[in-house]
Amino acid sequence: MTKRFQVVGIGNAIVDVLTHADDSFLDHMGIRKGIMQLVERQRAESLYGAMKDRVQVAGGSVANTLAGLGNLGLATGFIGRVRDDALGRFYASELEEGGTRFLNPPVADQNDLPTSRSMIFVTPDGERSMNTYLGISSEVSGADVPEDAVADSEILFLEGYLYDKDKGKAAFQTAARACRKGGGKAGIALSDPFCVDRHRADFRTLVRGELDFVIGNQSEWLSLYQANTLEEALIHAAADCPLVVCTRSGESVVLVREGERVEVPVEMVTPVDATGAGDQFAAGFLYGYATGRGLETCGRMGCVAAAEVISHLGARPVADLKQLFRAEGLI
C-alpha cells in the first residue's frame, strides 16, 4: 500500500538570512565563528540591521533536508510552527512552492511569538556563523503533530535542536510512535554536540528505544556516549540503534547496520558556503534509504548532495541532484 508521504520531517521553521562577512566583522560584532548561537530578540534585530546584501530563504535543518528530498522528487511533509506574520507567510509559501506540504497553518494568535529567524554570516573560507532567534518555532509540541499524516509516511525525520524544550521532546515521542505504529521508520539528526551535552540521557533513551536510524557527526557521537574514541562511541551506538551514520568533516563517512560496516570516502571540495552540508547529506542519505539502496550507495548519495550545496551560497540545492547521482552511477 502506497503511503501519502515518503518522508515527513519535524523541526524548527526558521527563515535564514545570509550575508558575506570577514573575520574582523565577526570580531567587531562579537559573533563566535563557525557555530550556531541562540540569541534574544533584541540581539537578532541588531545583527539583522548590520547585514548587507541579505539573502532570505526558508530554512531550518530538517526543512532544508526536505527541500533536498523534494529536489529528488519524493513526497514530503513538514511539521513546525510559524506566526501568521510576513516572515511566517513567506516561510509557508516557500516550503509549498518547493514541493513540501506544510502540515501546520501559520499561528494567528497575536499574543504568540514572532516567526523564527537565523542571521548567518559566511566568511571567505566558507564557514558559517549562525545567530538564531528561535521565536515561535521552538514551541512545537505534541499537539502540533498530525498523527494521521505521520502514520501515513514511510519515514519520519526529527531535528535534535527541538530537544531543548520539553514540548519538543513530547512532539518527537508522539510523532515517532505514530510513524512506527503505521509501519514507518523513524530517525533523527543529532544536530549539535552542545545540544547532545544538554540532553544526553534523554537522547540515549530516544536512540535506544524509539528510533530506526540516527545521523550524527563525530563530535556528536563522542558527546552522546562520552567516549574517548570514535570506535568506542560507534560500538555503543550500533548496540542501541539499527542504523548508525557518522560524518567526519572531510574524512570518510561511516555507516553501520546489523553488523555491516561501510566507509564512504569524501571528495574534498573547497566550500563557498558550508551552510546546509549536513542537511543535504541527510537528504541524499534519506533518498537512498527511502528507495531501498544499500549502505554504500546511501552514503555516496549523501556525499554528492553535500558537495553540491557547499559549492554555492545557501543551504538548499540548486542543481538537479538526480542528474548528479546519474553522473556518479548511483541511479
Side-chain angles (χ1 to χ4, degrees):
M1 177 177 165
T2 302
K3 290 192 176 260
R4 179 181 168 198
F5 298 106
Q6 286 162 289
V7 182
V8 165
I10 177 170
N12 280 302
I14 298 174
V15 177
D16 286 340
V17 187
L18 299 100
T19 192
H20 288 288
D22 57 23
D23 288 344
S24 63
F25 176 86
L26 299 188
D27 289 341
H28 175 70
M29 296 299 295
I31 297 168
R32 294 180 62 190
K33 184 177 179 178
I35 67 167
M36 192 282 286
Q37 281 185 287
L38 297 179
V39 298
E40 297 300 323
R41 189 171 182 174
Q42 184 175 355
R43 170 71 166 164
E45 291 172 352
S46 172
L47 291 174
Y48 183 85
M51 301 177 91
K52 297 180 180 179
D53 301 319
R54 296 183 290 256
V55 176
Q56 183 172 289
V57 295
S61 180
V62 163
N64 289 337
T65 296
L66 293 175
L69 291 168
N71 177 292
L72 286 160
L74 297 194
T76 58
F78 178 71
I79 298 167
R81 284 175 71 87
V82 296
R83 172 81 173 273
D84 188 12
D85 54 19
L87 281 180
R89 291 187 290 273
F90 164 81
Y91 190 96
S93 65
E94 285 282 296
L95 209 65
E96 295 275 353
E97 286 174 15
T100 294
R101 179 77 185 278
F102 199 172
L103 298 174
N104 307 94
V107 176
D109 186 351
Q110 295 304 305
N111 294 320
D112 223 317
L113 296 166
T115 296
S116 309
R117 70 290 310 265
S118 181
M119 280 60 65
I120 302 173
F121 298 87
V122 184
T123 42
D125 57 4
E127 280 287 349
R128 82 278 195 219
S129 305
M130 304 169 66
N131 300 265
T132 303
Y133 169 61
L134 288 178
I136 196 173
S137 71
S138 63
E139 297 299 306
V140 171
S141 70
D144 295 305
V145 177
E147 294 187 45
D148 56 340
V150 175
D152 204 11
S153 63
E154 296 174 15
I155 295 170
L156 174 70
F157 189 46
L158 308 169
E159 181 178 313
Y161 285 129
L162 279 181
Y163 243 56
D164 272 327
K165 289 199 173 183
D166 289 341
K167 290 180 180 180
K169 295 176 187 178
F172 278 6
Q173 291 169 345
T174 299
R177 289 167 187 170
C179 178
R180 298 180 88 188
K181 186 176 180 180
K185 304 286 189 182
I188 195 171
L190 293 175
S191 295
D192 181 272
F194 302 109
C195 184
V196 173
D197 284 342
R198 290 192 294 270
H199 308 289
R200 184 174 293 108
D202 286 332
F203 270 127
R204 283 190 185 177
T205 299
L206 186 71
V207 170
R208 189 180 306 118
E210 304 279 357
L211 301 178
D212 299 287
F213 66 92
V214 180
I215 302 172
N217 64 31
Q218 179 168 323
S219 297
E220 290 155 5
W221 285 116
L222 288 170
S223 173
L224 184 63
Y225 291 103
Q226 296 178 288
N228 294 316
T229 67
L230 180 61
E231 288 306 311
E232 179 187 346
L234 291 178
I235 289 170
H236 287 299
D240 284 347
C241 185
L243 174 54
V244 172
V245 182
C246 177
T247 60
R248 299 192 292 167
S249 297
E251 297 185 52
S252 59
V253 177
V254 181
L255 303 96
V256 184
R257 178 170 60 188
E258 297 174 354
E260 178 188 6
R261 176 179 171 134
V262 170
E263 293 198 22
V264 177
V266 173
E267 182 179 346
M268 294 302 295
V269 177
T270 301
V272 172
D273 172 17
T275 309
D279 303 339
Q280 295 313 318
F281 173 86
F285 166 80
L286 287 173
Y287 178 80
Y289 186 58
T291 55
R293 265 68 175 191
L295 280 189
E296 182 177 0
T297 299
C298 290
R300 288 179 63 195
M301 286 178 167
C303 292
V304 169
E308 190 283 336
V309 82
I310 68 174
S311 70
H312 57 79
L313 187 66
R316 299 185 175 192
V318 295
D320 184 328
L321 293 180
K322 274 192 175 179
Q323 286 189 2
L324 297 180
F325 290 171
R326 289 190 188 99
E328 294 291 328
L330 299 174
I331 56 176

